[in-house]
Amino acid sequence: MARGKLRIYLGAAPGVGKTYAMLSEAHRRVERGTDCVVAFVEHHDRPRTEVMLHGLEQTPRKELRYRDSTFTEMDVDAVLARHPEVALVDELAHINIPGSRNAKRWQDVEELLAAGINVVSTVNIQHLESLGDVVESITGIRQRETVPDEVVRRADQIELVDMSPQALRRRMAHGNIYKPDKVDAALSNYFRPGNLTALRELALLWVADRVDAYLQEYRSEHRVSTIWGSRERIVVGLTGGPEGRTLIRRAARLAEKGAGGEVLAVYISSSDGLTSASPKELAVQRTLVEDLGGTFHQVVGDDVPAALLDFARGVNATQIVLGVSRRKGWQYVLGPGVGATVARDSGPDLDVHLITHDEAGKGRGLPVARGARLGRSRIVWGWLVGLGGPALLTWLLSSVFPEVGIANDMLLFLTMTVAAALLGGLFPALASAVAGSLLINWYFTPPVHTWTIADPKNIVAIAVFFGVAVSVASVVDLAARRTHQAARLRAESEILSLLAGNVLRGETSLEALLERVRETFGMESVALLERESDVAPWACAGSVGPGPCATPDEADVDVPAGDRMSLVLSGRVLPAEDRRVLGAFAAQAAVVLDRQRLQQEAHQAKELAEGNRIRTALLAAVSHDLRTPLAGVKAAVTSLRSDDVEWSEEDQAELLAAIEEGADRLDHLVGNLLDMSRLQTGTVTPIIRETDLDEVIPMALGGVPDGSVHLDIPETLPMVDVDKGLLERSVANVVENAVKYSPPGTPVLVAASAIADRVEVRVVDRGPGVPDSAKDRIFEPFQRYGDSPRGAGVGLGLAVARGFAEAVGGTLHAEDTPGGGLTMVLSVPTAPERRPEHPERTAVITS
């Protein structure tokens, strides 16, 4: 029996319309005469989804008893007995009630597919097993119901049901997903815009990868070798030369012209693992291509054009970008070059761009010899073995072992040549080969003690010996040098990789970088010098080690680090090959110094601008907001002291109340000014302790009228690590602001909930709200959005609230209230000792 086909509707979150789309497909299939039944669909009391079930055959569900309650699950046996052509099974990742046929619903679906029944199902992206940790980091919720990725990947068809976060939140606010009493909690927790956007991106990327994998699988099965331009993929061929940066930027511009363009930079290295390219330049080009959104690849291949074309066709590239050859005109007699060969063999489905650059036609230059530095002792031993070894061997063979034979004599002399090559390199080995040939001729080839050779076969033997000795010596020397070279390049790559890692980790301390240079090269001191002009004296920007050099002339090693900077080292003279890596350190040191200074200048400029703005705003506040209550107080006092009017007790009480109100307003304004001054000068020192929100939030409501705030605080919230006084002031300012803007008769809701390792306090009002463009601005000092009711305040309340929240390790931001208004979200860290156990138990208090 043929296996059934599986079709899955994949969504980013609940409510996007997966079940609705599945039922719509079922109606279309039934109209076409397909035998289609509903094996299990859960409409969750959503009217529109429930209506879609009308007119579709539904198999009876199986009732199960669990913990004194009755639950219903899909009856697999009933569906198998009915054996429809198509079965609809909702919620693929669902965990069945204990006692069911299978533990997971996807296992039920596997049985239906094995029985030849086609299945249409639904699942959300957060239920995929591999994304569990990612989803938990985004939403703070660990998904218990999961389905293996392979089950979903094996589906014959996957259709993404997509919806923007804004549209999904509107659908939620209209009551189309959850009941009205759950809407506010859902919108403020799981259905936040950031959560929905991240989940939507996960779904889109997962489906895109699935489509790309299917395309590659189809091309492989059907042996499609031609390029399918489903999207622009541009391969940049790099040689490690300076023109690579130009090629990468040109490829990035080409990719920007098409939607979804992708840049892949590739460097072809030889199969022996060694390269003549500059590791420093390749590292720079790799960083550049990654900064532009592309990827860097290194491919091994001795035939560069063939390897480049194989890579391009393997990644389904549509274009190749190469630089015009750097070879001089006479060098083309050796071959057409990589660019011309790639253009000739690319075929009609792969475009090749040859880009001109400043290095074109200037020649590649001769390869730099990177011979092994064997050391004086090894070279001396090599010459001793190369010259003294044959002499000693001649004495042994002629005096101690005279009957060995000329063939064995030659093998022993060849051994001496190999030993000389291993110890001292090529030249001692060549000397050993020459000496061995002469000694064999003089002492062991008849007639002995003459240069005459009687037997022509011995002439051939000595010639072969010399040729083999020279060849073996050359090969052994080359292998030794390349081994040393590979070890050195490996060490250099490790150093450069460590340096790149420091950059990526954001380690910007100049002293730490100079100390790493000193340790890497074993120097006594390292300093970075700079000067303002070519004739100005040198100044030390940073140094490590005792007695740093004051000028480059005093240093043992001097490496330029810019136009007017120099990295100087003292301790010993470094070989030339070490300067390449040292140059990378010098360039990084200059970048670190410039970055530190730019950060300092930016910080100083920000402080100056903020100080000027605050001074201007403070003058405006003193001239208007502080003057208004002072004028009221002065007028009331003047009236009371006046002898011209005899005030009644009621009038006196009213004037005294006006004086008290003005004094309270002045106290509130001055208090906020002092708090903002403390925040600006950094003198706020929080005392972090474990605190219960039940002790903080009620105390923060003392400044608002009774009945204006409704509290919804769970009793079992975890303790929070905060400064009690600062948190109370922050909550008080936020609540007072919400009450001030909330319509009369509409209380402000203050609710709290635990999410992962944080506790959120949400202050919800039904006022006019604030547009998205002004949500950050309202937290700036002396900012009041719109017309402040009753003309109170100087616009410092929310600025002080955010400052105190950040001082205790929390955050404060604004969101829209569903249905109108503004919601302030104050998030603080929980204490690590306690975690919520029963968040469903809540206490409701009205102040």
Side-chain angles (χ1 to χ4, degrees):
M1 179 181 298
R3 179 181 172 86
K5 295 185 179 298
L6 175 61
R7 177 182 175 89
I8 294 178
Y9 284 94
L10 177 67
V16 296
K18 304 179 300 298
T19 305
Y20 191 92
M22 180 179 66
L23 294 175
S24 299
E25 179 185 349
H27 281 284
R28 293 193 299 269
R29 288 176 177 264
V30 170
E31 290 175 359
R32 294 195 299 265
T34 304
D35 182 14
C36 181
V37 302
V38 177
F40 187 94
V41 168
E42 186 63 63
H43 55 73
H44 298 289
D45 295 327
R46 298 170 188 168
R48 297 189 178 184
T49 305
E50 188 175 2
V51 169
M52 293 297 294
L53 286 170
H54 297 167
L56 296 176
E57 179 185 349
Q58 302 184 46
T59 58
R61 299 186 182 184
K62 185 177 183 180
E63 294 186 355
L64 296 171
R65 294 285 297 177
Y66 181 68
R67 292 183 179 178
D68 300 329
S69 298
T70 302
F71 300 90
T72 60
E73 294 286 359
M74 180 175 67
D75 192 339
V76 180
D77 292 327
V79 178
L80 292 174
R82 171 65 174 78
H83 204 281
E85 185 177 348
V86 178
L88 308 183
V89 182
D90 203 7
E91 299 178 355
L92 183 63
H94 172 73
I95 298 177
N96 293 329
I97 296 297
S100 301
R101 184 190 188 98
N102 295 301
K104 299 288 188 73
R105 184 165 293 167
W106 64 265
Q107 295 172 327
D108 297 338
V109 169
E110 286 293 318
E111 284 197 38
L112 300 182
L113 294 173
I117 301 175
N118 299 323
V119 176
V120 182
S121 187
T122 64
V123 70
N124 282 323
I125 191 67
Q126 66 264 28
H127 294 299
L128 295 184
E129 182 68 41
S130 65
L131 300 178
D133 295 336
V134 179
V135 173
E136 183 179 11
S137 66
I138 295 171
T139 64
I141 299 174
R142 184 69 183 186
Q143 298 292 334
R144 292 179 56 252
E145 296 183 332
T146 59
V147 59
D149 290 44
E150 185 60 27
V151 173
V152 182
R153 289 185 180 276
R154 286 202 310 263
D156 299 276
Q157 296 182 49
I158 300 176
E159 182 171 336
L160 178 66
V161 182
D162 187 32
M163 178 174 288
S164 68
Q166 294 79 8
L168 184 57
R169 283 173 59 85
R170 284 197 301 269
R171 178 180 288 185
M172 173 70 73
H174 293 160
N176 294 332
I177 301 177
Y178 292 157
K179 294 182 179 180
D181 59 339
K182 298 182 179 180
V183 169
D184 286 340
L187 288 175
S188 61
N189 289 284
Y190 192 86
F191 284 81
R192 298 178 185 176
N195 290 359
L196 297 179
T197 302
L199 293 174
R200 185 189 189 196
E201 182 180 17
L202 280 178
L204 291 171
L205 291 175
W206 194 91
V207 172
D209 290 341
R210 178 69 178 85
V211 171
D212 199 46
Y214 175 75
L215 179 60
Q216 296 295 337
E217 180 182 349
Y218 180 87
R219 286 167 51 85
S220 177
E221 289 179 355
H222 293 77
R223 299 181 179 179
V224 178
S225 58
T226 58
I227 302 297
W228 285 4
S230 54
R231 62 173 174 172
E232 292 293 340
R233 281 191 177 91
I234 303 175
V235 171
V236 185
L238 302 179
T239 63
E243 76 280 359
R245 307 182 198 183
T246 302
L247 303 183
I248 292 171
R249 294 189 181 98
R250 178 63 61 86
R253 291 197 297 270
L254 290 174
E256 291 175 356
K257 295 180 180 179
E262 184 179 356
V263 176
L264 300 92
V266 59
Y267 172 74
I268 311 295
S269 61
S270 58
S271 59
D272 58 9
L274 303 178
T275 173
S276 60
S278 168
K280 176 183 175 182
E281 184 63 30
L282 282 178
V284 171
Q285 293 173 12
R286 178 172 191 156
T287 302
L288 176 61
V289 72
E290 290 175 351
D291 290 342
L292 294 175
T295 56
F296 182 88
H297 306 266
Q298 186 164 346
V299 177
V300 177
D302 294 322
D303 188 346
V304 175
L308 182 61
L309 288 172
D310 289 342
F311 175 82
R313 292 193 174 97
V315 299
N316 199 27
T318 57
Q319 303 179 53
I320 296 179
V321 174
L322 298 173
V324 173
S325 178
R326 286 183 285 160
R327 296 194 299 177
K328 294 183 178 295
W330 64 267
Q331 292 177 311
Y332 281 97
V333 300
L334 303 176
V338 174
T341 305
V342 170
R344 181 192 64 202
D345 299 339
S346 61
D349 53 356
L350 190 57
D351 298 332
V352 179
H353 302 268
L354 293 179
I355 309 300
T356 59
H357 50 84
D358 295 336
E359 303 297 323
K362 293 184 178 180
R364 299 180 62 90
L366 294 175
V368 180
R370 290 185 283 181
R373 298 177 60 87
L374 299 177
R376 180 174 299 178
S377 61
R378 287 192 58 180
I379 294 177
V380 170
W381 275 104
W383 282 105
L384 288 176
V385 172
L387 296 178
L392 178 61
L393 186 61
T394 300
W395 177 77
L396 290 174
L397 294 178
S398 59
S399 303
V400 182
F401 306 104
E403 303 298 332
V404 173
I406 190 170
N408 293 326
D409 294 340
M410 290 185 177
L411 289 176
L412 292 173
F413 276 97
L414 183 61
T415 304
M416 284 294 173
T417 302
V418 173
L422 289 174
L423 288 174
L426 179 62
F427 293 107
L430 293 178
S432 176
V434 172
S437 301
L438 295 176
L439 291 173
I440 290 173
N441 183 12
W442 184 264
Y443 287 99
F444 303 104
T445 305
V448 296
H449 302 116
T450 65
W451 299 115
T452 304
I453 302 176
D455 191 351
K457 294 181 180 180
N458 291 334
I459 299 177
V460 175
I462 293 177
V464 170
F465 164 78
F466 182 78
V468 171
V470 171
S471 301
V472 170
S474 301
V475 172
V476 171
D477 175 71
L478 180 62
R481 289 176 181 271
R482 288 201 170 182
T483 300
H484 180 84
Q485 182 184 21
R488 179 174 185 82
L489 290 176
R490 178 181 177 183
E492 290 182 2
S493 65
E494 290 176 353
I495 294 174
L496 294 174
S497 175
L498 181 61
L499 179 62
N502 294 338
V503 175
L504 294 176
R505 288 190 296 270
E507 297 180 4
T508 57
S509 172
L510 179 61
E511 287 71 19
L513 181 62
L514 296 180
E515 181 63 29
R516 189 174 296 279
V517 174
R518 191 173 73 91
E519 294 176 355
T520 300
F521 295 97
M523 307 301 287
E524 293 181 0
S525 66
V526 180
L528 182 63
L529 305 180
E530 63 173 345
R531 58 182 178 180
E532 297 181 355
S533 64
D534 295 338
V535 296
W538 290 95
C540 182
S543 64
V544 293
C549 301
T551 64
D553 296 335
E554 301 175 3
D556 294 317
V557 181
D558 170 25
V559 179
D563 294 337
R564 294 184 176 90
M565 289 187 186
S566 180
L567 184 67
V568 295
L569 300 87
S570 63
R572 63 187 179 93
V573 178
L574 294 179
E577 53 263 30
D578 285 341
R579 291 179 176 267
R580 180 173 59 252
V581 179
L582 190 58
F585 277 103
Q588 180 60 23
V591 170
V592 168
L593 181 61
D594 291 341
R595 184 182 303 165
Q596 287 181 349
R597 290 178 174 173
L598 288 175
Q599 289 176 348
Q600 293 174 358
E601 293 175 0
H603 183 67
Q604 294 173 357
K606 183 178 180 181
E607 289 181 347
L608 291 174
E610 185 68 16
N612 290 333
R613 189 179 65 82
I614 290 179
R615 280 193 293 271
T616 303
L618 181 59
L619 289 175
V622 171
S623 63
H624 180 269
D625 294 278
L626 295 180
R627 206 169 163 187
T628 300
L630 277 176
V633 171
K634 183 175 181 3
V637 171
T638 302
S639 299
L640 287 173
R641 296 187 61 188
S642 175
D643 297 332
D644 299 336
V645 179
E646 185 176 351
W647 302 100
S648 64
E649 292 183 1
E650 291 81 3
D651 293 336
Q652 291 179 6
E654 185 176 350
L655 289 173
L656 290 173
I659 293 173
E660 184 180 11
E661 181 182 356
D664 290 340
R665 290 177 60 187
L666 283 173
D667 179 68
H668 182 74
L669 294 175
V670 172
N672 277 336
L673 286 172
L674 291 176
D675 289 339
M676 180 52 59
S677 175
R678 292 168 60 203
L679 290 171
Q680 292 291 336
T681 56
T683 57
V684 177
T685 305
I687 302 175
I688 304 298
R689 295 175 179 172
E690 285 192 13
T691 305
D692 194 338
L693 286 182
D694 289 339
E695 302 174 2
V696 177
I697 294 181
M699 297 294 295
L701 306 181
V704 298
D706 293 339
S708 60
V709 177
H710 180 78
L711 290 183
D712 185 3
I713 309 297
E715 294 179 352
T716 53
L717 278 178
M719 304 287 283
V720 292
D721 277 341
V722 295
D723 183 302
K724 181 178 178 181
L726 296 182
L727 181 62
E728 179 183 333
R729 288 296 309 277
S730 180
V731 174
N733 281 9
V734 173
V735 172
E736 289 175 9
N737 185 79
V739 171
K740 181 168 57 178
Y741 283 93
S742 190
T746 304
V748 172
L749 172 64
V750 179
S753 60
I755 300 177
D757 58 348
R758 315 241 348 145
V759 170
E760 286 191 349
V761 179
R762 308 180 71 84
V763 181
V764 184
D765 68 61
R766 296 291 178 176
V770 176
D772 293 339
S773 59
K775 282 187 172 62
D776 288 332
R777 195 167 64 248
I778 61 176
F779 292 102
E780 297 177 3
F782 306 104
Q783 294 290 329
R784 289 183 295 182
Y785 178 73
D787 296 327
S788 177
R790 299 179 292 278
V794 293
L796 284 175
L798 292 181
V800 171
R802 172 175 275 188
F804 284 164
E806 292 176 349
V808 300
T811 60
L812 178 63
H813 67 276
E815 296 180 356
D816 291 330
T817 300
L822 191 68
T823 298
M824 291 289 178
V825 182
L826 175 63
S827 175
V828 293
T830 61
E833 288 78 8
R834 293 178 55 188
R835 290 290 185 269
E837 297 178 356
H838 305 286
E840 68 277 1
R841 295 171 54 193
T842 60
V844 179
I845 307 172
T846 301
S847 69

